[in-house]
Amino acid sequence: MIVYLVRRVGQSLFAIVAMAILVFVGVYAIGNPVDILINPEASQAEIAATTARLGLDKPLWEQFLVFAGNALQGDLGDSFVYGRPAVEIILDRLPATMELAFFALILSVGIGVPLGVIAGLKPDGIAGKSIMAGSILGFSLPNFWQGMILILVFAVLLGWLPAGGRGETVDVLGIRVSFLTWDGLRHLILPAINLALFKMSLIIRLARANTREVMLLDYVKFARAKGLSHRRVVMVHILKNIMIPVVTIIGLELGSMVAFAVVTETVFAWPGMGKLLIDSINLLDRPLIVAYLMMTVGIIVTINLVVDVCYSLLDPRVRLSEAKG
């Protein structure tokens, strides 16, 4: 187990270092933020002073070494625009993104699992076929288009829900949350639905496939032969077993929902990390872009590491095959 753990941690660290090089070079080799940050009528002396102050006058490799050295101490640089530590700015936006991601996850599971089970129990019925057709739409339609349609229908035509923003918030243990106020909850519904649609479709298809598979197993047939009610067979013997792969997918997908809510936050003007990234790209705020991407890499690598370790604890064959490899 120790050999497996050391190997996986080493692979994770290698992935983070490789991504740090790719991200830094990819962001710092494009454009010149000084052209955006200072007055267009500034003199050459002012441009040179700003360039030197931001550290952009150094060769790219030297800038990377400075970044890497600071990153090892937990410092991912200061924002060119805000003049504050990039990590601090991102963490200010993190609660809004986490709130949106968790609500989207609740919707995905709360609606996706029951619909997937129904589609699995009645695959040839109208309900089953309709659910699967809906899941295909959820996969196929672009996320930004779904968001625009939601705004058009529920905000513009019906006027039921607001089209953007976070609404009224309250402080809970020093963290601003919006779901505890009616106004904030109304602002949360549409972006949460938009972010949940793709994951919901994924869970529907996964739950349907697992339901079809579990229904054919002997213990389900035996439960029915004992005379248990259909409801009890579904709730206890089928639902319980299909949730194992569903929970695995949920764990992996939560990281991507937090990291890649960029489109939804942009469409609905949700003040989270994704909108901050888009604003930073427009302003060429390189430290913020790099810090966001590195934090995203860190989240995804950590989640995958935890999932792999959990797998190895549940199934010793995983770590044995890794050790032999």
Side-chain angles (χ1 to χ4, degrees), residues 34-116:
V34 177
D35 294 338
I36 299 176
L37 295 173
I38 67 172
N39 191 325
E41 299 179 357
S43 65
Q44 286 299 320
E46 291 172 326
I47 294 175
T50 303
T51 302
R53 180 172 58 81
L54 298 178
L56 301 176
D57 56 335
K58 300 173 183 173
L60 189 59
W61 63 269
E62 190 174 343
Q63 293 182 49
F64 176 75
L65 290 180
V66 172
F67 164 77
N70 292 333
L72 290 175
Q73 303 174 41
D75 180 8
L76 295 178
D78 291 343
S79 164
F80 290 165
V81 176
Y82 301 98
R84 296 167 51 202
V87 174
E88 183 180 306
I89 297 171
I90 293 172
L91 291 179
D92 284 345
R93 301 290 191 96
L94 182 62
T97 298
M98 293 297 293
E99 185 178 49
L100 177 62
F102 273 111
F103 261 78
L105 188 66
I106 291 171
L107 287 176
S108 302
V109 177
I111 299 175
V113 171
L115 291 181

Side-chain angles (χ1 to χ4, degrees), residues 39-256:
N39 191 325
E41 299 179 357
S43 65
Q44 286 299 320
E46 291 172 326
I47 294 175
T50 303
T51 302
R53 180 172 58 81
L54 298 178
L56 301 176
D57 56 335
K58 300 173 183 173
L60 189 59
W61 63 269
E62 190 174 343
Q63 293 182 49
F64 176 75
L65 290 180
V66 172
F67 164 77
N70 292 333
L72 290 175
Q73 303 174 41
D75 180 8
L76 295 178
D78 291 343
S79 164
F80 290 165
V81 176
Y82 301 98
R84 296 167 51 202
V87 174
E88 183 180 306
I89 297 171
I90 293 172
L91 291 179
D92 284 345
R93 301 290 191 96
L94 182 62
T97 298
M98 293 297 293
E99 185 178 49
L100 177 62
F102 273 111
F103 261 78
L105 188 66
I106 291 171
L107 287 176
S108 302
V109 177
I111 299 175
V113 171
L115 291 181
V117 172
I118 292 171
L121 293 173
K122 300 177 181 177
D124 298 323
I126 295 177
K129 291 181 179 178
S130 301
I131 291 170
M132 293 312 295
S135 71
I136 292 173
L137 288 177
F139 271 123
S140 308
L141 298 178
N143 192 242
F144 75 91
W145 190 83
Q146 295 173 359
M148 293 172 67
I149 293 299
L150 287 173
I151 291 174
L152 176 65
V153 174
F154 293 100
V156 178
L157 298 179
L158 299 176
W160 291 350
L161 295 167
R166 198 180 179 193
E168 184 183 357
T169 60
V170 294
D171 280 356
V172 177
L173 301 176
I175 300 174
R176 287 192 306 144
V177 297
S178 61
F179 68 92
L180 293 179
T181 66
W182 174 240
D183 182 58
L185 192 59
R186 291 179 71 245
H187 282 77
L188 181 60
I189 293 175
L190 286 185
I193 292 174
N194 180 233
L195 186 60
L197 283 175
F198 183 85
K199 308 300 180 190
M200 191 187 301
S201 301
L202 178 67
I203 291 175
I204 286 174
R205 300 183 79 82
L206 186 64
R208 178 188 181 275
N210 283 297
T211 301
R212 300 287 300 156
E213 184 179 336
V214 170
M215 283 175 62
L216 301 175
L217 297 180
D218 290 340
Y219 66 86
V220 174
K221 295 178 181 176
F222 183 68
R224 284 184 171 146
K226 286 197 303 183
L228 296 180
S229 66
H230 178 69
R231 178 186 177 86
R232 183 170 176 77
V233 171
V234 172
M235 298 299 292
V236 175
H237 296 280
I238 294 179
L239 188 60
K240 181 180 176 182
N241 287 283
I242 70 169
M243 287 306 292
I244 296 173
V246 170
V247 169
T248 303
I249 293 297
I250 290 171
L252 293 173
E253 291 296 322
L254 177 60
S256 68

